[in-house]
Amino acid sequence: MRKAMFVLAVILAAVAFACGGGTEPTVEETAAEPTPPISETLAAVEEAPEQPSTDDAVTEAPPGGIFRRLWSDPPTLDPHLVTDTTSAFIVVEVFSGLVKFDTDLNLVPDIAESWEIDPSGTTYTFRLRDDATFHNGKSVTAQDFKWSIERAAAPVTASPVADTYLNDIVGAMDYIEGNADSIQGVRVVDDRTLQITVDAPKAYVLAKLTYPTAYVLDREVVESGGDNWWIENGVGTGPFKLKEYSIGERIVLERFDGFYGEHAKVDFVHMNLAGGQSMAMYENDEIDITGVGIFDLDRIQDVNEPLNSDLVVAPPDFSVFYVGFNPNFPPFDQPKFRQALNHAVDKELIATEVLSGLVVPAYGILPPGYPGFNADLDGLTFDAALAQRLVSETPYADFLTNVASDSPYYETAQAALKESPFAGSGNTPRIEVTVPGTGGTIGLDLEVVIEFWRRVLGVEVDIVQVESATYLEELDLQKYQAFYAGWQADYPDPQDFLDILFHTESSLNHMAYSNPEVDGILEEARVEHNAFSRVSLYQEAEDKLVKDAAWLPLWYSGEQFVLIKPNVKNYKLTPMIVPKMAAVVIE
Amino acid sequence: MWKYIARRVLWLPVLLLAVSFVTFALGHYGPGDPVAVMMGARYDPDSAATKNLRRELGLDRPFHVQYVDYVSHFVRGDFGSSLSLHRGQPVRELIIKKMWVSAQLAFAAMLISLAGGLPLGFFIAHRQGRWHDPTTVTITLVLMSVPVMVSVPAMTWLMCLKLSWVSCSGWGGLFDLRIIVPAITMGVPGIAGLTRLMRASTLDVMGQDFIRTAQAKGLGALTIDSRHVLRNAIIPIITVLAFSLAGLIGGAFITETLMGIPGVGRLAVDAIFARDFPIIMAITLIGASAFVLANLLADLAYAVVDPRIRYS
C-alpha cells in the first residue's frame, strides 16, 4: 500500500511541479509541429533551453570560433524520424538532401545541382553534384537517395512523417502500408541521375523534398548502427559533423571540411542541453544568442540598456491560433451563430492591450508572409451590433437575454431580441471549449475572448482543460464541440493549411467541418499547374471558409525578440528551420 | 537480525511486482498515448504512419503480453527503450547518469539542511520560551516558504550576475562551485522542518527521567547534552533522513530546470507528459526500491543508535 501511495505521490508531485514552473522555451524559428497554446508561447519566447560549456576540451578558441547556444535534447537526430523543430535545427546542419530552402526561403539546389520537370508535371529528373560526399568520404549517388527514401518510408522505420512528406510519390503509400517491395516512383537512371514520379502535377512536391524525411543517408552506417546509429556515428552530408552528443549535457557540431557547398566559418557549434536561465547566461557571456521573454522586454527595449544594441527582431513563424467549431454540435450548426462569435470579439484590442503586441490579430487562415497570404481578405471584424443581429436570426436568439443590463451592449441586444422570431424559445445549448494544457489556467487571450462573448452575446461557455497527450487523442475523435488550437506550417504551401485542416476527407479536420464547395476548390488547387491560378483558388477557398466562420481565427505569431552577441555576424533569423549555421561568422 | 533483513529484502520483488503492475496498467488504460504524442497535431489513428509506429513500438500487443514482456526484460536488467522522448534509446543509460546527478545534488542539499537544522533545533530547545526560540522558528519558516521559483533567480542574480562567484547555471558534480546555488536553494527550506523536529525531540528527551537522574548525579551540562540528550534526540531524525535518502534519486524538477542541471527530475516530468512508459516505469521502480531499502536502513540504524530496539 505504501508503495502504491509512493507511485501516486511521484505522479502527483510531478504534475504539481509541472504546473508550477514547466515552460519549455521555444525556438526562434520553427517548422513542422503542432503549435503550443499561445499562453505557453508568450510565457516562453526565449530562444531555446541550454547552457554554457565551460569544461570542454576546446577551451582555447579555435580560429573560426565557437558559436554557443542553449538548446534542449532532441527527441531524435535520425533525419527520417524528425518531426520537431528542436531536432530539425540540428539535423539540417548535419545532413542534407536534393533541394533546400535558403535563408530567404527560396527553393535552391542542394545535392541536386539541377532538375527537369517533364511536360506532364509529374516526373522530376534530378542531376546530382559529383562532389557531394558523406562525412566518411564516400561519394553520394542516386542509389543512396533511392535507398534513403525507401528507408524513410519503410514500415519498420515507422517514421511519423513519412506519409506527410513522401505520399505524393507514386507507390509511396503502398510501400508505407507494407504492400510493396519498393517505391515505384523513385528510379535510379544512373549514378548521378535520380527520377522521382509523383501521382499528380502538384506544385509543392519540391517544397516537401526539402524536409529531412527525404534526406540522404549512408546505408552502411545506418544498417550497421542499429536504432541509434546516429549517436555513435552520425554520418551525414551537411556542412557540420555531429562530433558529440551527450544526452542532457551537450551537442557539439564540428565543421566538415569536405562539404560540397559553402564551407562553414565557425569551427564548432556548442549546444548545451541541460537548461538554465538563458537571459542570465547571455548577460554573463556564456551563450551567444538568447530569446527575450515578455518580462525582460521592457528593459531590453530601453535604449539606455547596454544590451539594447544586441537586440534583433526575428520574423514571426508561420503559425495561426484559432478556436475550431464543430458544426455537428448545436449551436455551431448555425453558420450565423459562428459568424456572430467572430464579430463579437475585438481582436485588435486584445492584441495591443492584453498581449503587448506580441501577436498579430488573425482574420484569415494563412499567416502573413506565407505563400497565398491574402492581405485584402475581407475578414469578420469586430461589430457588436452585427453579431447580436446574427444571433437573433438563429434559433439560439435567447442567448441575448443573458446580456447583463450593465453591459455597454445591453440596449442593442434587447433591440435585436425584439426583432427575433426565435425569442422566448429558451434554446441556449451548453457550450464547452476544450483547451490543451495543465494547471487550470487558460491563456489570457482566450479569457478575454470569452468575456467578449459573454458581454456582447450573453454566451456563457465552460472551459474544459485536457492534458495535451489526451487532447490529441480526443481531437481525432472529433468529440470536441469547440477547441482552442494552433497550426504551424510544415512547408510553405497553402495546401498545408487549407487542404489539410478543412477538406472533408482530411484526417486532421478535427472540426468535422464539411463544405462540398470548398472541397471542390481544394481538389482543383491540388493539381493546378499555373502558380498564379493556384494561389487564387486557395484564396477563394480561404475566403469561403472565413465567411462561413469554420473557425474563430485568433492570432498569427508576432515578431520575436532575440539578442545576438555583436561579434556574431550573418546569423539569419528565419520563420522556418533552414540550414543557416554555415554562413555564421564569429569575429 | 539477519533473518529480519532477509525477510524485508525478500518482500522487495513482491512489492515491485505490485507497483509495476499498477503503473503499467495506469499507463496502458489511462488517457493519452505515446503514439499520439509522437504524431502531434498530425495524429490520426488510422494512418499508415500511426499503425507502423504502434507496431514497431510493440504497443499494438495486448496488455498482458506487453506487461509480461516488460517484466521479463526488467528482471534481466533491461529497462527497455524510450518511446516518445528519446525514441529507441536505452532507458537504463538515459536515467542512471541523471539519477546520479540528482542524487549528488540532493545529498549536498541534505547536508545543508542537517548542518543548519540539527544545531539550531538543539540550541533553541535549550532556550525554550526565550526570544531565540520563536525568532529562529519564524526565520526558518520564512525561508522555507520562499518558493524555488523565487529563490533560484534571486540567488543567481546575487552570486552570478552581481558577485560573479559562480556560473549562472550548469553542473560539474559535487565538488564544483556551480553546485552552491542549487544546493542552498534546495537545502535551506529543509532547515525549518529539521529544526522543529530536533527541537521537539530534544525537549522530549530533556524531560525524561534519566536526564533528571543524570543532573542529580551531578554530571556536567556538556556531558549530559552530548552523551545523553543528543544521542537520544537524534533517533527520530533518522526516519526523516531515510525518507530523504529515498528522495535523493527523485530529482528536483524546478531547480534542475532553472539551474541547467541534467538531473532526473525533469526527465521524469517530460516522460509523464510524453507518455514514455518505459522511462516512467524505470524511475518508479527504482524509486520504490530505494524507498524500501532506505526504510530498512532506517530500521537498522535505530537498532544501532538505540540498544533497546531489537529485531527478531
Side-chain angles (χ1 to χ4, degrees), chain A residues 3 6-7 18 24 34 51 54 73 75 81 155-158 160 163-164 176-177 228 230-231 247-249 274-277 281 286 467 470 472-473 476 490 496 507-508, chain B residues 19 31-33 36 39-45 48-49 52-53 55-56 85-89 94 97 156 168-170 178 257-258 260 262 266 273 275 287-288 292:
Chain A
K3 304 305 156 325
F6 175 71
V7 179
E24 180 82 8
Q51 137 196 9
T54 48
D73 265 309
L81 306 182
V156 291
T157 308
D163 60 349
T164 305
I176 292 170
E177 283 159 8
N228 297 306
W230 51 270
I231 295 186
I247 291 174
E249 289 172 42
Q277 298 170 71
M281 289 160 63
E286 293 169 22
E467 184 262 340
T470 315
L472 290 169
E473 230 179 1
D476 178 74
D490 299 303
D496 190 31
S507 60
L508 298 173
Chain B
V19 170
D33 169 7
M39 300 293 297
R42 290 187 170 276
Y43 174 66
D44 166 17
N52 287 342
L53 195 53
R55 190 181 54 246
E56 286 310 310
L85 222 45
H86 298 282
R87 180 170 168 189
Q89 294 180 35
L94 279 173
K97 230 164 80 180
T156 309
C168 289
S169 57
R178 285 174 290 181
T257 305
L258 288 176
R266 187 155 167 206
F273 281 112
R275 302 295 193 276
V292 171

Coordinates of all heavy atoms in Angstrom, one line a residue, chain A residues 3 6-7 18 24 34 51 54 73 75 81 155-158 160 163-164 176-177 228 230-231 247-249 274-277 281 286 467 470 472-473 476 490 496 507-508, chain B residues 19 31-33 36 39-45 48-49 52-53 55-56 85-89 94 97 156 168-170 178 257-258 260 262 266 273 275 287-288 292:
Chain A
K3 N 3.7 1.5 -1.1 CA 4.4 1.6 -2.3 C 3.5 2.2 -3.4 O 3.9 3.1 -4.2 CB 4.9 0.3 -2.8 CG 5.8 -0.4 -1.8 CD 6.9 0.5 -1.4 CE 7.5 0.2 0.0 NZ 6.6 -0.2 1.0
F6 N 3.3 5.7 -2.9 CA 4.5 6.4 -3.4 C 4.4 6.7 -4.9 O 4.7 7.8 -5.4 CB 5.7 5.5 -3.1 CG 7.0 6.1 -3.7 CD1 7.6 7.2 -3.1 CD2 7.6 5.5 -4.8 CE1 8.8 7.7 -3.7 CE2 8.7 6.0 -5.3 CZ 9.3 7.1 -4.7
V7 N 3.9 5.7 -5.6 CA 3.8 5.9 -7.1 C 2.9 7.1 -7.3 O 3.2 8.0 -8.1 CB 3.1 4.6 -7.7 CG1 3.0 4.9 -9.2 CG2 4.0 3.4 -7.4
A18 N 5.1 20.5 -12.6 CA 5.0 20.9 -14.0 C 4.1 22.1 -14.1 O 4.3 23.1 -14.8 CB 4.4 19.8 -14.8
E24 N 8.6 25.2 -21.5 CA 9.7 24.8 -22.5 C 9.9 25.9 -23.5 O 9.0 26.3 -24.2 CB 9.2 23.5 -23.2 CG 10.1 23.0 -24.2 CD 11.2 22.1 -23.6 OE1 11.1 21.8 -22.4 OE2 12.1 21.8 -24.2
P34 N 2.9 20.8 -34.2 CA 1.7 21.4 -33.6 C 2.2 22.6 -32.8 O 3.1 22.4 -32.0 CB 1.1 20.3 -32.8 CG 2.2 19.4 -32.5 CD 3.1 19.4 -33.7
Q51 N 22.8 25.6 -22.2 CA 23.7 26.1 -21.2 C 25.1 26.0 -21.5 O 25.5 25.5 -22.5 CB 23.3 25.4 -20.0 CG 24.5 25.0 -19.3 CD 24.1 24.0 -18.4 OE1 23.1 23.5 -18.3 NE2 25.1 23.7 -17.6
T54 N 31.6 25.2 -20.2 CA 32.8 25.8 -19.6 C 33.9 24.7 -19.5 O 35.1 25.1 -19.3 CB 32.5 26.3 -18.1 OG1 31.8 25.2 -17.5 CG2 31.7 27.5 -18.2
D73 N 17.4 18.7 -25.4 CA 17.6 17.4 -26.0 C 16.7 17.1 -27.2 O 15.5 17.2 -27.1 CB 17.3 16.3 -25.0 CG 18.5 15.9 -24.2 OD1 19.5 15.5 -24.9 OD2 18.5 15.9 -23.0
P75 N 14.5 14.9 -29.6 CA 13.9 13.6 -29.5 C 14.7 12.6 -30.4 O 14.7 11.4 -30.0 CB 12.5 13.8 -29.9 CG 12.2 15.2 -29.7 CD 13.5 15.9 -29.9
L81 N 13.1 10.5 -39.0 CA 12.2 10.4 -38.0 C 11.8 11.7 -37.4 O 10.9 11.9 -36.5 CB 12.7 9.5 -36.8 CG 13.1 8.1 -37.2 CD1 13.6 7.3 -36.0 CD2 12.0 7.3 -37.9
P155 N 7.9 0.5 -43.5 CA 7.1 0.2 -42.3 C 8.0 0.0 -41.0 O 7.6 0.5 -39.9 CB 6.3 -1.0 -42.6 CG 6.2 -1.0 -44.1 CD 7.5 -0.4 -44.6
V156 N 9.1 -0.7 -41.2 CA 9.9 -0.9 -40.0 C 10.6 0.4 -39.4 O 10.9 0.5 -38.3 CB 11.0 -2.0 -40.2 CG1 10.4 -3.3 -40.3 CG2 11.9 -1.6 -41.3
T157 N 10.8 1.3 -40.3 CA 11.4 2.6 -39.9 C 10.3 3.4 -39.0 O 10.6 4.1 -38.1 CB 11.8 3.5 -41.1 OG1 12.7 2.7 -41.9 CG2 12.5 4.7 -40.6
A158 N 9.1 3.2 -39.4 CA 7.9 3.8 -38.7 C 8.1 5.3 -38.5 O 8.1 5.8 -37.4 CB 7.7 3.1 -37.3
P160 N 7.1 8.9 -38.2 CA 5.8 9.6 -38.0 C 5.4 10.5 -39.2 O 4.2 10.9 -39.3 CB 6.0 10.4 -36.8 CG 7.2 9.9 -36.1 CD 8.0 9.3 -37.2
D163 N 4.4 9.6 -44.3 CA 3.2 9.8 -45.2 C 2.9 11.2 -45.4 O 2.2 11.6 -46.4 CB 2.0 9.0 -44.7 CG 1.6 9.4 -43.3 OD1 2.3 10.1 -42.7 OD2 0.5 9.0 -42.9
T164 N 3.4 12.1 -44.6 CA 3.1 13.5 -44.8 C 4.0 14.1 -46.0 O 3.5 14.8 -46.8 CB 3.5 14.3 -43.5 OG1 2.8 13.8 -42.5 CG2 3.2 15.8 -43.7
I176 N 4.6 2.4 -47.8 CA 4.5 2.7 -46.4 C 3.5 1.8 -45.7 O 3.7 1.4 -44.5 CB 4.0 4.2 -46.2 CG1 5.1 5.2 -46.7 CG2 3.6 4.5 -44.8 CD1 4.6 6.6 -46.8
E177 N 2.5 1.4 -46.4 CA 1.5 0.4 -45.8 C 2.0 -1.0 -45.8 O 1.3 -1.9 -45.4 CB 0.2 0.6 -46.6 CG -0.6 1.8 -46.1 CD -1.6 2.3 -47.2 OE1 -1.9 1.5 -48.1 OE2 -2.2 3.4 -47.0
N228 N 20.0 3.4 -32.9 CA 20.6 4.7 -32.6 C 21.9 4.9 -33.3 O 22.8 5.4 -32.7 CB 20.8 4.7 -31.1 CG 19.4 4.7 -30.3 OD1 18.6 5.5 -30.6 ND2 19.3 3.7 -29.5
W230 N 22.9 7.0 -35.2 CA 23.4 8.4 -35.3 C 24.1 8.9 -34.0 O 24.8 9.9 -34.1 CB 22.2 9.4 -35.6 CG 21.0 9.2 -34.7 CD1 20.0 8.3 -34.9 CD2 20.8 9.9 -33.5 NE1 19.1 8.5 -33.8 CE2 19.6 9.4 -33.0 CE3 21.5 10.8 -32.8 CZ2 19.1 9.8 -31.7 CZ3 21.0 11.3 -31.6 CH2 19.8 10.8 -31.1
I231 N 23.9 8.2 -32.9 CA 24.5 8.8 -31.7 C 26.0 8.5 -31.8 O 26.8 9.4 -31.5 CB 24.0 8.1 -30.4 CG1 22.5 8.4 -30.3 CG2 24.8 8.5 -29.2 CD1 21.9 7.9 -29.0
I247 N 23.5 13.0 -23.9 CA 22.2 13.3 -23.5 C 22.1 14.2 -22.3 O 22.7 13.9 -21.3 CB 21.4 12.0 -23.3 CG1 21.2 11.3 -24.7 CG2 20.0 12.3 -22.7 CD1 20.5 10.0 -24.6
G248 N 21.3 15.2 -22.3 CA 21.1 16.1 -21.2 C 22.3 17.0 -20.9 O 22.3 17.8 -20.0
E249 N 23.4 16.8 -21.7 CA 24.6 17.7 -21.4 C 24.9 18.6 -22.6 O 24.7 19.8 -22.5 CB 25.8 16.8 -21.0 CG 25.6 16.2 -19.7 CD 26.7 15.2 -19.3 OE1 27.8 15.5 -19.7 OE2 26.3 14.2 -18.8
A274 N 21.4 21.2 -20.9 CA 20.9 20.9 -19.6 C 19.9 22.0 -19.1 O 19.3 21.8 -18.0 CB 22.1 20.9 -18.6
G275 N 19.7 23.0 -19.8 CA 18.7 24.0 -19.4 C 19.5 25.1 -18.6 O 20.7 25.1 -18.6
G276 N 18.7 26.1 -18.1 CA 19.4 27.2 -17.4 C 18.6 28.5 -17.8 O 17.7 28.4 -18.5
Q277 N 19.0 29.6 -17.1 CA 18.3 30.8 -17.4 C 19.0 31.5 -18.5 O 20.0 32.2 -18.4 CB 18.3 31.7 -16.1 CG 17.6 31.0 -15.0 CD 17.8 31.7 -13.7 OE1 17.3 32.8 -13.5 NE2 18.6 31.1 -12.8
M281 N 22.5 33.8 -18.6 CA 23.7 33.2 -19.2 C 24.2 34.1 -20.3 O 25.4 34.2 -20.5 CB 23.4 31.8 -19.7 CG 23.2 30.9 -18.6 SD 22.3 29.4 -19.1 CE 23.4 28.7 -20.3
E286 N 27.9 33.5 -21.4 CA 28.1 32.0 -21.5 C 27.5 31.5 -22.8 O 27.8 30.4 -23.2 CB 27.4 31.4 -20.3 CG 28.1 31.7 -19.0 CD 27.3 31.3 -17.8 OE1 26.4 30.4 -17.9 OE2 27.5 31.8 -16.7
E467 N -5.2 17.6 -20.6 CA -3.7 17.5 -20.7 C -3.4 17.1 -22.2 O -4.1 16.3 -22.8 CB -3.3 16.5 -19.7 CG -1.8 16.2 -19.6 CD -1.4 15.0 -20.4 OE1 -2.3 14.2 -20.6 OE2 -0.2 14.9 -20.7
T470 N -3.8 13.6 -24.0 CA -5.1 13.1 -24.1 C -5.9 14.0 -25.1 O -6.7 13.5 -25.9 CB -5.8 13.3 -22.7 OG1 -5.0 12.8 -21.7 CG2 -7.1 12.6 -22.7
L472 N -4.8 15.4 -27.8 CA -4.5 15.0 -29.2 C -5.3 13.8 -29.6 O -5.8 13.7 -30.7 CB -3.0 14.6 -29.3 CG -2.1 15.8 -29.2 CD1 -0.6 15.3 -29.1 CD2 -2.2 16.7 -30.5
E473 N -5.5 12.8 -28.6 CA -6.2 11.6 -28.9 C -7.7 11.9 -29.1 O -8.3 11.4 -30.0 CB -6.1 10.7 -27.7 CG -5.7 9.3 -28.0 CD -5.6 8.5 -26.8 OE1 -5.9 9.0 -25.6 OE2 -5.3 7.3 -26.9
D476 N -8.9 13.8 -32.4 CA -9.1 13.0 -33.5 C -10.4 12.3 -33.6 O -11.0 12.0 -34.6 CB -8.0 11.9 -33.5 CG -8.2 10.9 -34.7 OD1 -7.9 11.3 -35.8 OD2 -8.7 9.8 -34.4
D490 N 4.3 23.2 -42.2 CA 5.3 22.1 -42.4 C 6.2 22.5 -43.6 O 7.3 22.2 -43.6 CB 4.6 20.8 -42.7 CG 3.7 20.3 -41.6 OD1 4.2 20.2 -40.4 OD2 2.5 20.1 -41.8
D496 N -0.9 23.1 -47.2 CA -0.5 22.7 -45.8 C -1.5 23.2 -44.8 O -1.6 22.6 -43.7 CB 0.9 23.1 -45.5 CG 1.4 22.4 -44.3 OD1 1.0 21.3 -44.0 OD2 2.3 23.0 -43.6
S507 N -7.9 13.7 -42.5 CA -7.9 13.1 -41.1 C -7.6 14.1 -40.1 O -7.8 13.9 -38.9 CB -7.0 12.0 -41.0 OG -5.7 12.4 -41.2
L508 N -7.1 15.3 -40.5 CA -6.8 16.3 -39.5 C -7.8 17.4 -39.4 O -7.6 18.5 -38.8 CB -5.4 16.9 -39.8 CG -4.3 15.9 -39.8 CD1 -3.0 16.4 -40.2 CD2 -4.1 15.3 -38.3
Chain B
V19 N 3.8 -2.7 -7.7 CA 4.0 -1.4 -8.2 C 4.0 -1.3 -9.7 O 3.4 -0.5 -10.4 CB 5.3 -0.7 -7.6 CG1 5.6 0.6 -8.3 CG2 5.2 -0.6 -6.1
P31 N -5.8 7.8 -19.9 CA -5.9 8.6 -21.2 C -4.5 8.9 -21.7 O -3.5 8.9 -21.0 CB -6.6 9.8 -20.7 CG -6.3 9.9 -19.3 CD -6.2 8.5 -18.8
G32 N -4.4 9.2 -23.0 CA -3.2 9.6 -23.6 C -2.4 8.4 -24.2 O -2.7 7.3 -23.7
D33 N -1.5 8.7 -25.1 CA -1.0 7.6 -25.8 C 0.4 8.1 -26.4 O 0.4 9.2 -27.0 CB -2.0 7.3 -27.0 CG -1.4 6.4 -28.0 OD1 -0.3 5.9 -27.9 OD2 -2.1 6.2 -29.0
A36 N 0.2 9.1 -30.0 CA -0.4 10.4 -30.3 C 0.6 11.5 -30.0 O 0.6 12.5 -30.8 CB -1.7 10.5 -29.5
M39 N 3.0 11.7 -32.9 CA 2.4 12.2 -34.1 C 2.0 13.7 -34.0 O 1.8 14.4 -35.0 CB 1.2 11.4 -34.6 CG 1.6 9.9 -34.8 SD 2.6 9.6 -36.2 CE 1.6 10.1 -37.5
G40 N 1.8 14.1 -32.8 CA 1.5 15.5 -32.6 C 0.1 15.9 -33.3 O -0.8 15.1 -33.3
A41 N 0.1 17.1 -33.8 CA -1.2 17.6 -34.4 C -1.6 16.8 -35.6 O -2.7 16.9 -36.1 CB -1.0 19.1 -34.8
R42 N -0.7 15.9 -36.1 CA -1.0 15.1 -37.2 C -1.5 13.7 -36.9 O -1.6 12.8 -37.7 CB 0.3 14.9 -38.1 CG 0.6 16.2 -38.8 CD 1.8 16.0 -39.8 NE 1.9 17.2 -40.6 CZ 1.2 17.5 -41.7 NH1 0.3 16.6 -42.1 NH2 1.3 18.6 -42.4
Y43 N -1.8 13.5 -35.6 CA -2.2 12.2 -35.1 C -3.5 11.8 -35.8 O -4.5 12.5 -35.7 CB -2.4 12.2 -33.6 CG -2.9 10.9 -33.1 CD1 -2.2 9.7 -33.1 CD2 -4.2 10.9 -32.5 CE1 -2.7 8.6 -32.6 CE2 -4.7 9.7 -32.0 CZ -4.0 8.6 -32.1 OH -4.5 7.4 -31.6
D44 N -3.5 10.6 -36.4 CA -4.7 10.0 -37.0 C -4.5 8.5 -36.8 O -3.6 7.9 -37.4 CB -4.7 10.4 -38.5 CG -5.7 9.5 -39.2 OD1 -6.6 8.9 -38.6 OD2 -5.7 9.5 -40.5
P45 N -5.3 7.9 -35.9 CA -5.1 6.5 -35.6 C -5.2 5.6 -36.8 O -4.6 4.4 -36.7 CB -6.2 6.2 -34.6 CG -7.2 7.3 -34.7 CD -6.5 8.5 -35.3
A48 N -1.3 5.1 -42.0 CA -0.3 4.1 -42.1 C 0.8 4.4 -41.2 O 1.4 3.5 -40.5 CB 0.2 4.0 -43.6
A49 N 1.2 5.7 -41.1 CA 2.3 6.0 -40.2 C 2.0 5.7 -38.8 O 2.9 5.2 -38.1 CB 2.6 7.5 -40.4
N52 N 2.2 1.9 -38.4 CA 3.5 1.4 -38.4 C 4.3 1.7 -37.1 O 5.0 0.8 -36.5 CB 4.3 2.1 -39.5 CG 3.9 1.5 -40.9 OD1 3.3 0.4 -41.0 ND2 4.2 2.3 -41.9
L53 N 4.0 2.9 -36.6 CA 4.7 3.3 -35.4 C 4.2 2.4 -34.2 O 5.0 1.9 -33.4 CB 4.3 4.8 -35.1 CG 5.2 5.6 -34.1 CD1 6.6 5.4 -34.4 CD2 4.8 7.0 -34.2
R55 N 3.0 -0.5 -34.2 CA 3.5 -1.9 -34.3 C 5.0 -2.0 -34.0 O 5.4 -2.8 -33.3 CB 3.3 -2.4 -35.8 CG 3.5 -3.9 -35.9 CD 3.3 -4.4 -37.3 NE 4.0 -3.6 -38.3 CZ 3.5 -2.8 -39.2 NH1 2.2 -2.7 -39.3 NH2 4.3 -2.1 -40.0
E56 N 5.8 -1.0 -34.5 CA 7.2 -1.1 -34.3 C 7.5 -0.9 -32.8 O 8.5 -1.4 -32.3 CB 7.9 0.0 -35.1 CG 8.0 -0.4 -36.6 CD 8.6 -1.8 -36.8 OE1 9.6 -2.1 -36.2 OE2 7.9 -2.6 -37.6
L85 N 10.1 10.1 -26.0 CA 11.0 11.2 -25.6 C 12.4 11.2 -26.3 O 12.9 12.1 -26.9 CB 11.2 11.2 -24.1 CG 11.2 12.5 -23.3 CD1 10.0 13.4 -23.8 CD2 11.1 12.2 -21.8
H86 N 13.0 10.0 -26.3 CA 14.2 9.8 -27.0 C 14.1 8.5 -27.7 O 14.7 7.5 -27.3 CB 15.4 9.7 -26.0 CG 15.6 10.9 -25.2 ND1 16.2 12.0 -25.7 CD2 15.2 11.3 -24.0 CE1 16.2 13.0 -24.8 NE2 15.6 12.6 -23.7
R87 N 13.3 8.5 -28.8 CA 12.9 7.2 -29.4 C 14.1 6.3 -29.6 O 15.1 6.6 -30.3 CB 12.3 7.6 -30.8 CG 11.8 6.3 -31.5 CD 11.0 6.7 -32.7 NE 10.8 5.5 -33.5 CZ 10.3 5.6 -34.7 NH1 9.9 6.8 -35.2 NH2 10.1 4.5 -35.4
G88 N 13.9 5.1 -29.1 CA 14.8 4.0 -29.3 C 16.0 3.9 -28.4 O 16.8 3.0 -28.4
Q89 N 16.2 5.0 -27.6 CA 17.4 5.0 -26.8 C 17.2 4.2 -25.5 O 16.1 4.3 -24.9 CB 17.9 6.4 -26.5 CG 18.3 7.1 -27.7 CD 18.8 8.5 -27.5 OE1 19.4 8.8 -26.4 NE2 18.5 9.4 -28.4
L94 N 19.7 6.3 -20.2 CA 19.1 7.7 -20.0 C 19.0 8.1 -18.6 O 19.2 9.2 -18.2 CB 17.7 7.7 -20.7 CG 17.6 7.8 -22.2 CD1 16.2 7.6 -22.6 CD2 18.1 9.2 -22.6
K97 N 22.7 8.0 -15.3 CA 23.6 9.1 -15.2 C 22.8 10.3 -14.6 O 23.3 11.0 -13.7 CB 24.1 9.6 -16.6 CG 25.6 9.7 -16.6 CD 26.1 9.7 -18.0 CE 26.0 11.1 -18.7 NZ 26.5 11.1 -20.1
T156 N 20.8 33.4 -8.2 CA 21.6 33.6 -9.4 C 22.0 35.0 -9.6 O 23.1 35.3 -9.9 CB 20.7 33.1 -10.6 OG1 20.2 31.8 -10.3 CG2 21.6 33.0 -11.8
C168 N 26.2 31.0 -14.0 CA 24.8 31.2 -13.8 C 24.1 29.9 -13.7 O 23.0 29.8 -13.2 CB 24.2 32.1 -14.9 SG 24.7 33.8 -14.7
S169 N 24.6 28.9 -14.4 CA 23.9 27.6 -14.3 C 24.9 26.6 -14.8 O 26.0 26.9 -15.2 CB 22.7 27.6 -15.2 OG 23.1 27.9 -16.5
G170 N 24.5 25.3 -14.8 CA 25.4 24.3 -15.2 C 25.7 23.3 -14.1 O 25.2 23.4 -13.0
R178 N 29.6 25.3 -9.0 CA 28.2 25.5 -9.5 C 27.1 24.8 -8.7 O 26.0 25.1 -8.9 CB 28.1 25.2 -11.0 CG 28.8 26.2 -11.9 CD 28.9 25.7 -13.3 NE 29.8 24.6 -13.5 CZ 30.0 24.0 -14.6 NH1 29.4 24.3 -15.7 NH2 30.9 23.0 -14.7
T257 N 15.6 22.5 -13.7 CA 15.4 23.2 -15.0 C 16.0 24.6 -15.0 O 16.6 25.0 -15.9 CB 13.8 23.3 -15.2 OG1 13.3 21.9 -15.2 CG2 13.5 23.9 -16.5
L258 N 15.7 25.3 -13.9 CA 16.2 26.7 -13.8 C 17.7 26.7 -13.8 O 18.3 27.7 -14.3 CB 15.6 27.4 -12.5 CG 14.2 27.7 -12.6 CD1 13.7 28.3 -11.3 CD2 13.8 28.7 -13.7
G260 N 19.9 24.5 -15.0 CA 20.6 23.8 -16.0 C 21.3 22.6 -15.5 O 22.5 22.3 -15.8
P262 N 21.5 18.5 -15.3 CA 21.0 17.4 -16.1 C 20.5 16.2 -15.1 O 21.0 15.1 -15.2 CB 22.1 16.9 -16.9 CG 23.4 17.4 -16.2 CD 23.0 18.6 -15.5
R266 N 13.6 16.5 -14.3 CA 13.0 17.0 -15.5 C 12.6 15.8 -16.5 O 11.6 15.9 -17.1 CB 13.9 17.9 -16.2 CG 13.3 18.6 -17.3 CD 14.0 19.9 -17.6 NE 13.6 20.4 -18.9 CZ 14.3 21.2 -19.6 NH1 15.5 21.6 -19.2 NH2 13.9 21.6 -20.8
F273 N 4.5 13.5 -19.4 CA 3.7 14.2 -20.4 C 3.8 13.6 -21.7 O 2.8 13.6 -22.5 CB 4.1 15.7 -20.4 CG 3.5 16.5 -19.3 CD1 4.3 17.0 -18.3 CD2 2.1 16.6 -19.2 CE1 3.7 17.7 -17.3 CE2 1.5 17.3 -18.2 CZ 2.3 17.9 -17.2
R275 N 4.1 10.4 -22.2 CA 3.6 9.0 -22.0 C 4.7 8.0 -22.4 O 4.5 7.0 -23.1 CB 2.4 8.7 -22.9 CG 1.2 9.6 -22.6 CD 0.7 9.4 -21.2 NE -0.6 10.0 -21.0 CZ -0.8 11.3 -20.7 NH1 0.2 12.1 -20.5 NH2 -2.0 11.8 -20.6
G287 N 12.7 4.1 -7.8 CA 12.3 4.9 -6.7 C 11.7 4.1 -5.6 O 12.0 4.2 -4.4
A288 N 10.8 3.1 -6.0 CA 10.2 2.2 -5.0 C 11.2 1.4 -4.3 O 11.2 1.2 -3.0 CB 9.1 1.4 -5.7
V292 N 12.1 1.3 -0.2 CA 12.1 0.1 0.6 C 13.4 0.0 1.3 O 13.5 -0.3 2.5 CB 11.7 -1.1 -0.2 CG1 11.9 -2.4 0.6 CG2 10.3 -1.0 -0.7

